[in-house]
């Protein structure tokens, strides 16, 4: 039986006191790492770390510059490689969209918003939304034009989606590819300070298409003046975003080439907007059907007279979407009448 | 044998009583039986279960899968935050729904084949490729949901829109007019909202918190396109 005293709780005091009393005793000291009494640059080191954190947290550009070299290190056949292109947060996407809607002269979209973190999320989903917006608004305006007619049978034209998708996605990928190739070629001739990577160009083009989404939705309004004002606004905004982005990349070059590049960019953009939104005025070729807004095809085709005397159209024209196919009796040749001549293109 | 510490009540006792002193007085009585049976209730059934799915009737197999599908339908119709859809995913439900929807959205073959509403293949392709694209998008954004789980959720959440299609078909049997259109519009809008809420309830938790909106927007676009196809359907 052990003595009772051995089992009693004893206060040992702190380590220093027991060491002082009996130098051979073993003591354990657990100290807070913060109040270590070492003579090291503890506080300066600590605040230095905080400063680093602040620097990294507040100033994105330094961090992204630092990380830019480490970003694309995965080989291209792994999933992580493609994840680096989707490394954006919600607020960043909103900021980029806002930047494409409000071009400020002197501020470069790429430098200000993209900042070596180009993403593919924006371009891809903006193009997808634009495709569906164009198709839906085309169908809707078609429907609204014929709202009162009893004989009109509304068919949702699904081919529009495929054509719209092809055009929009080809524009959003092939034009940046061509532009990037052109800029690389000029860079080899003339030393430019500013050069963009392919993904940054895709990013700029993708976000610049955002303005067309509300434009396409508002295109349902059948007034011609309203539509043209909308197109002008959209073209102005997105064209200026593109021009202000690419001007620094070409301005060291030969003056004429620089101007020609910018003009080409704006022209292509104008072609896309006009082609997408005002299809019927361009479609004189029956095989090249764009989005048919408000074409009262039934009325126009039946009014077409055969130019040859004493002949009547054999096939008074079950109108297909865009062409009236009449066969002239005397010659037997099909006559494809251009709709703009006979049909009130009511905008 | 442990010794009791000195009780504080009597500091003066010289020899304390040992602890558990009275234990030795207790003896196990001879007439308490210590015997019995231990049975494991599931012992024999586990081995039967493994081979029983091979030997069971076809009806059992089909009914089991149908019940699983039906249970998930109930989870979609009354969306709560549960992960039943995610845990036991299957693609039967999405397939049934997609085929039903595509069949109902098909126009008759009387109309011209060049223009018009979507064909069966178009609807099928839109649904499945749309679901695959959304899944890839959410995985690329850093979501931790597996590929087939996401396909399962997106496919099952088409159920409200299929119901809307059925209702629209019935409503279209009545005479056409603005009231007809308003009824269909209302039904489609309600079912569209239901689909979005159901799919968000299942999918939103798997996304990183600062990218939730980025992952949910494509789902919105997907169901919007399907709702548009349903709303503009005319027989």
């Amino acid at each position: 039986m052990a003595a009772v005293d051995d089992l009693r709780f004893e206060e040992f005091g702190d380590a220093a006191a027991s060491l002082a009393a009996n130098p051979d005793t073993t003591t354990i000291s657990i100290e807070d790492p913060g109040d270590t009494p070492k003579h090291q640059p503890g506080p300066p080191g600590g605040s230095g770390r905080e400063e680093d954190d602040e620097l990294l947290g507040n100033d994105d550009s330094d961090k992204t510059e630092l990380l830019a070299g480490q970003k694309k290190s995965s080989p291209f056949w792994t999933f992580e490689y493609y994840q680096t292109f989707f490394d954006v947060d919600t607020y960043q996407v909103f900021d980029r969209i806002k930047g494409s809607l409000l071009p400020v002269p002197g501020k470069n979209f790429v430098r200000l918003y993209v900042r070596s973190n180009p993403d593919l999320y924006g371009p891809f989903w903006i193009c997808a939304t634009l495709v569906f917006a164009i198709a839906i608004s085309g169908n809707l305006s078609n429907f609204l034009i014929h709202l009162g007619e009893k004989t009109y049978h509304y068919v949702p034209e699904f081919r529009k989606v495929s054509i719209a998708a092809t055009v929009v996605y080809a524009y959003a990928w092939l034009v940046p590819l061509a532009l990037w190739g052109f800029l690389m070629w000029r860079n080899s001739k003339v030393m430019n300070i500013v050069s963009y990577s392919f993904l940054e160009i895709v990013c700029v083009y993708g976000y610049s298409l955002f303005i067309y989404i509300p434009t396409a939705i508002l295109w349902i309004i059948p007034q011609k003046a309203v539509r043209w004002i909308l197109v002008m606004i959209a073209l102005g905004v997105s064209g200026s975003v593109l021009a202000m982005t690419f001007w620094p990349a070409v301005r060291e070059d030969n003056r004429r080439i620089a101007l020609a590049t910018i003009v080409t960019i704006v022209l292509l953009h104008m072609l896309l907007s006009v082609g997408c939104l005002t299809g019927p005025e361009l479609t004189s070729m029956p095989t090249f059907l764009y989005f048919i807004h408000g074409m009262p095809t039934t009325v126009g085709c039946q009014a077409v007279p055969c130019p040859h005397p004493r002949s009547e159209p054999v096939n008074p024209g079950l109108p297909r979407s865009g062409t009236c196919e009449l066969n002239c009796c005397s010659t037997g040749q099909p006559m494809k009448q251009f709709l703009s001549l006979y049909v009130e293109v009511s905008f | 044998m442990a010794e009791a510490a000195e009780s504080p009540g009597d500091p003066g006792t010289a020899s304390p009583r040992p602890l558990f002193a009275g234990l030795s007085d207790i003896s196990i009585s001879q007439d308490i039986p210590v015997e019995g049976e231990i049975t494991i209730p599931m012992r024999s059934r586990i081995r039967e279960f493994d081979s029983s799915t091979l030997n069971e009737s076809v009806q059992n197999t089909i009914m089991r899968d149908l019940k699983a599908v039906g249970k998930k339908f109930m989870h979609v119709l009354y969306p709560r935050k549960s992960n039943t859809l995610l845990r036991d995913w299957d693609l039967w439900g999405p397939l049934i729904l997609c085929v039903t929807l595509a069949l109902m959205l098909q126009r008759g073959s009387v109309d011209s084949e060049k223009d018009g509403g979507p064909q069966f293949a178009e609807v099928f392709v839109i649904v499945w490729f749309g679901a695959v694209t959304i899944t890839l998008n959410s995985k690329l954004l850093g979501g931790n949901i597996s590929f087939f789980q996401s396909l399962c959720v997106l496919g099952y959440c088409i159920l409200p829109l299929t119901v809307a299609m059925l209702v629209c078909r019935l409503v279209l049997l009545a005479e056409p007019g603005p009231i007809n259109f308003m009824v269909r519009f209302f039904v489609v809008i309600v079912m569209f909202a239901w689909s979005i809420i159901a799919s968000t309830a299942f999918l939103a938790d798997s996304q990183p918190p600062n990218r939730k909106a980025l992952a949910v927007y494509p789902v919105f676009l997907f169901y919007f396109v399907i709702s548009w196809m349903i709303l503009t359907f005319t027989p």
Side-chain angles (χ1 to χ4, degrees):
Chain A
M1 286 204 226
V4 174
D5 290 335
D6 288 353
L7 295 176
R8 190 196 295 194
F9 237 104
E10 273 186 32
E11 286 294 317
F12 283 103
D14 60 345
S18 80
L19 270 177
N22 189 354
D24 284 333
T25 54
T26 24
T27 58
I28 303 173
S29 63
I30 303 171
E31 284 166 333
D32 219 351
D35 24 335
T36 163
K38 297 187 210 132
H39 295 292
Q40 275 180 8
S47 70
R49 263 199 313 266
E50 284 167 14
E51 277 173 19
D52 276 339
D53 285 342
E54 279 177 14
L55 272 177
L56 288 178
N58 288 349
D59 199 344
D60 278 358
S61 62
D62 283 356
K63 177 173 156 193
T64 50
E65 302 279 343
L66 270 174
L67 290 180
Q70 312 166 10
K71 254 177 48 163
K72 298 184 175 64
S73 56
S74 318
F76 68 91
W77 55 83
T78 58
F79 193 67
E80 284 73 26
Y81 176 74
Y82 298 102
Q83 261 185 328
T84 58
F85 302 142
F86 282 78
D87 194 16
V88 277
D89 293 337
T90 310
Y91 76 92
Q92 282 176 322
V93 173
F94 281 149
D95 276 344
R96 290 175 189 192
I97 291 178
K98 202 173 51 157
S100 79
L101 288 177
L102 305 167
V104 178
K107 293 225 178 136
N108 192 336
F109 180 80
V110 175
R111 282 291 158 248
L112 192 61
Y113 292 106
V114 177
R115 271 202 287 184
S116 70
N117 184 20
D119 70 308
L120 286 182
Y121 177 89
F124 182 76
W125 287 109
I126 290 178
C127 289
T129 313
L130 184 63
V131 163
F132 288 116
I134 291 177
I136 289 177
S137 83
N139 279 328
L140 261 182
S141 71
N142 209 1
F143 175 72
L144 284 176
I145 294 291
H146 296 279
L147 195 49
E149 298 172 18
K150 288 218 194 284
T151 56
Y152 182 72
H153 181 69
Y154 173 73
V155 280
E157 311 227 1
F158 209 69
R159 288 306 159 98
K160 290 183 183 172
V161 176
S162 337
I163 301 177
T166 317
V167 168
V168 169
Y169 274 102
Y171 180 80
W173 282 89
L174 294 182
V175 172
L177 187 64
L179 187 61
W180 175 75
F182 176 75
L183 287 178
M184 286 293 118
W185 175 62
R186 292 311 301 173
N187 258 354
S188 64
K189 299 263 181 97
V190 175
M191 197 56 215
N192 275 329
I193 299 179
V194 173
S195 73
Y196 298 124
S197 73
F198 172 60
L199 282 171
E200 287 172 346
I201 301 182
V202 168
C203 209
V204 173
Y205 264 88
Y207 280 103
S208 73
L209 285 177
F210 180 81
I211 185 75
Y212 287 112
I213 297 176
T215 310
I217 295 176
L218 289 174
W219 197 262
I220 301 175
I221 303 173
Q223 303 301 323
K224 191 170 180 177
V226 170
R227 285 184 176 186
W228 280 108
I229 292 176
L230 285 173
V231 165
M232 287 296 135
I233 295 176
L235 190 58
V237 168
S238 57
S240 62
V241 167
L242 286 178
M244 281 191 286
T245 305
F246 289 108
W247 179 247
V250 292
R251 76 177 152 213
E252 278 97 25
D253 208 342
N254 190 354
R255 193 82 184 169
R256 276 189 224 150
I257 296 187
L259 278 177
T261 313
I262 300 292
V263 166
T264 314
I265 292 175
V266 176
L267 260 180
L268 280 173
H269 217 63
M270 191 162 61
L271 260 184
L272 175 85
S273 59
V274 170
C276 277
L277 297 172
T278 64
E281 295 188 273
L282 297 182
T283 53
S284 51
M285 295 174 281
T287 53
F288 191 52
L289 292 175
Y290 259 170
F291 320 106
I292 300 159
H293 289 263
M295 298 238 302
T297 55
T298 51
V299 174
C301 286
Q302 286 169 3
V304 174
C306 179
H308 295 260
R310 284 175 302 132
S311 62
E312 286 172 354
V314 169
N315 193 2
L318 282 178
R320 296 303 202 166
S321 50
T323 62
C324 300
E325 297 185 353
L326 312 175
N327 280 330
C328 187
C329 310
S330 54
T331 61
Q333 299 294 322
M335 304 186 302
K336 295 212 171 58
Q337 308 294 337
F338 296 160
L339 284 168
S340 54
L341 296 178
Y342 302 98
V343 167
E344 270 185 29
V345 183
S346 55
F347 275 128
Chain B
M1 277 240 252
E3 299 278 341
E6 211 175 42
S7 59
D10 34 326
T13 47
S15 58
R17 293 175 60 237
L19 198 59
F20 308 125
L23 264 186
S24 52
D25 299 327
I26 299 176
S27 63
I28 296 182
S29 153
Q30 299 299 325
D31 48 22
I32 299 178
V34 185
E35 62 182 36
E37 272 186 21
I38 301 178
T39 57
I40 305 173
M42 296 285 290
R43 178 180 55 87
S44 58
R45 279 179 56 182
I46 293 178
R47 292 192 58 193
E48 285 172 17
F49 189 68
D50 284 344
S51 57
S52 66
T53 57
L54 274 180
N55 297 332
E56 69 180 5
S57 64
V58 175
Q59 181 190 5
N60 274 0
T61 313
I62 294 181
M63 286 313 294
R64 191 175 59 236
D65 280 336
L66 276 181
K67 275 192 200 141
V69 168
K71 195 165 128 196
K72 293 199 187 68
F73 279 171
M74 283 301 128
H75 275 278
V76 169
L77 284 179
Y78 303 108
R80 300 179 287 277
K81 275 208 186 293
S82 81
N83 54 358
T84 309
L85 249 73
L86 293 180
R87 220 177 29 226
D88 327 306
W89 59 267
D90 73 275
L91 292 179
W92 282 115
L95 183 67
I96 296 174
L97 288 173
C98 181
V99 167
T100 314
L101 193 64
L103 279 176
M104 285 198 287
L105 272 177
Q106 212 180 3
R107 295 169 296 102
S109 56
V110 183
D111 295 340
S112 65
E113 67 279 352
K114 205 163 81 167
D115 303 322
Q119 297 287 346
F120 180 90
E122 284 167 342
V123 176
F124 208 79
V125 160
I126 280 190
V127 169
W128 284 103
F129 274 94
V132 166
T133 310
I134 295 174
T135 307
L136 276 179
N137 176 66
S138 84
K139 282 184 80 72
L140 282 169
L141 282 174
N144 58 354
I145 193 172
S146 95
F147 185 74
F148 287 109
Q149 281 172 347
S150 174
L151 277 187
C152 169
V153 169
L154 288 169
Y156 269 103
C157 292
I158 297 182
L159 175 68
L161 289 171
T162 312
V163 170
M165 183 75 220
L166 280 168
V167 172
C168 283
R169 269 270 179 161
L170 291 174
V171 169
L172 278 170
L173 291 175
E175 60 172 71
I179 303 181
N180 196 316
F181 179 73
M182 292 310 293
V183 168
R184 282 188 292 139
F185 183 74
F186 178 71
V187 166
V188 169
I189 289 267
V190 165
M191 292 301 174
F192 167 64
W194 202 332
S195 283
I196 299 264
I197 292 173
S199 63
T200 316
F202 293 119
L203 283 180
D205 288 334
S206 65
Q207 303 300 323
N210 49 350
R211 295 177 186 183
K212 274 203 176 52
L214 295 186
V216 167
Y217 170 71
V219 178
F220 170 84
L221 187 65
F222 176 63
Y223 289 127
F224 182 77
V225 168
I226 297 183
S227 313
W228 176 258
M229 288 199 291
I230 292 176
L231 187 60
T232 59
F233 171 77
T234 49

